[in-house]
Amino acid sequence: MLSCATGHDALALCQRFWHFYGMGLTLDISTTADGVCILEFQTQPALVPATHRHVVLEAVIAGFVRGITGLQRIAPEHFTIWFDLEQPAYAEQVRQRLGDVHWGMPTNCIRLPAHLLDKPLPQASPLALQDAVSQCEQAERLLGKRTDDIAERVRESRPEMPLRLALIGPVMPMFEPKAAGSPSAMTKWSMCTPVSCSTVWMVRLGPP
C-alpha cells in the first residue's frame, strides 16, 4: 500500500486483499454523494467473541486512522469515528487521541472527506506496487481466492477444537504495556493464521 499512487488506491488495495489478513472483521469502503469516504467495519461473531469485540474494533479503527494519517498526512480533525458500542469510561481520553469520536452509533466506521485521499503519495512506486500485487495474486492462486470459508472448514475437520484457537492460534502478548490499563499503552501481539504469520500492533484505547 505504501507504493500506491494515492490514498484512494491504497484503500482499494487494502479492501481487495482484506480476506488475507482481516479474518474476523468485514471491511466496506464507500463514498457518499456529498463526498464523504466511509470505511465501515463489523465483527464476525463466530471469530470474535462478544467479550473482545470492543478491543478488536477499537484497535483496528485506531490503527486505520493512524495509518491514513501517516500515509496521507491528513490532520486528525478531518476524521469522524463511529462506534456502535456503549460509551466507555475512557471516552474523553480516546477523543484526545483520535478527535471526533462518537459511541452508540448505527455502525462502526471512519468518515473523512474523500478529496483528501486524492493527494499523490510521496513514496509511490509503480514498479514496487506491481511486484507487491503480483505476489498477492500468486498467494490467491495458491491458497484460493477467498478465505471466508476457513471457519466452516475448521468446523468440519476439527469439530472438537475451539474455533478461535484453530483459526488464529493463541494470541500472546510479546511484552506488557508500561502501565497496565493505560489508555496510551501499546501492546505487541504475535498472531498466527492459516494464511501467514504476522505481527500485529494493537493500540489499547482503554481497559479490556
Side-chain angles (χ1 to χ4, degrees):
M1 292 191 295
L2 294 177
S3 301
C4 289
T6 68
H8 277 299
D9 293 339
L11 289 177
L13 192 65
C14 177
Q15 185 176 29
R16 176 180 174 184
F17 295 109
W18 181 252
H19 57 278
F20 275 156
Y21 52 86
M23 283 186 231
L25 279 172
T26 61
L27 168 63
D28 182 66
I29 302 176
S30 61
T31 302
T32 65
D34 56 348
V36 177
C37 179
I38 301 176
L39 287 72
E40 185 174 359
F41 304 86
Q42 286 298 339
T43 55
Q44 297 174 309
L47 306 182
V48 179
T51 53
H52 292 75
R53 186 170 182 268
H54 74 285
V55 175
V56 171
L57 287 169
E58 288 174 353
V60 170
I61 289 178
F64 262 82
V65 171
R66 296 303 190 195
I68 295 171
T69 300
L71 189 69
Q72 195 81 71
R73 297 295 189 266
I74 298 175
E77 57 263 27
H78 292 297
F79 291 90
T80 299
I81 300 170
W82 289 5
F83 289 108
D84 66 1
L85 309 165
E86 292 185 8
Q87 180 167 310
Y90 48 88
E92 188 55 37
Q93 295 161 300
V94 175
R95 291 191 177 104
Q96 291 174 6
R97 288 161 175 79
L98 296 180
D100 188 17
V101 185
H102 304 266
W103 286 266
M105 304 303 286
T107 188
N108 305 284
C109 68
I110 301 168
R111 303 167 63 92
L112 71 158
H115 70 87
L116 296 177
L117 298 169
D118 292 332
K119 183 179 178 181
L121 298 180
Q123 65 272 48
S125 171
L127 290 177
L129 177 61
Q130 182 180 5
D131 182 62
V133 172
S134 295
Q135 292 185 45
C136 290
E137 290 174 342
Q138 181 181 15
E140 281 187 332
R141 289 191 293 271
L142 294 174
L143 299 169
K145 172 94 175 152
R146 299 186 62 81
T147 57
D148 294 350
D149 62 340
I150 287 179
E152 188 59 36
R153 281 185 284 167
V154 169
R155 291 190 187 95
E156 293 175 355
S157 62
R158 298 294 299 275
E160 77 284 359
M161 183 181 295
L163 181 59
R164 292 192 304 278
L165 294 183
L167 273 174
I168 64 174
V171 179
M172 300 172 291
M174 302 296 287
F175 58 82
E176 292 299 323
K178 291 183 179 180
S182 169
S184 61
M186 182 88 76
T187 305
K188 184 180 180 183
W189 302 86
S190 176
M191 182 178 294
C192 295
T193 74
V195 175
S196 65
C197 291
S198 60
T199 299
V200 179
W201 288 90
M202 298 184 70
V203 180
R204 297 288 296 279
L205 299 182

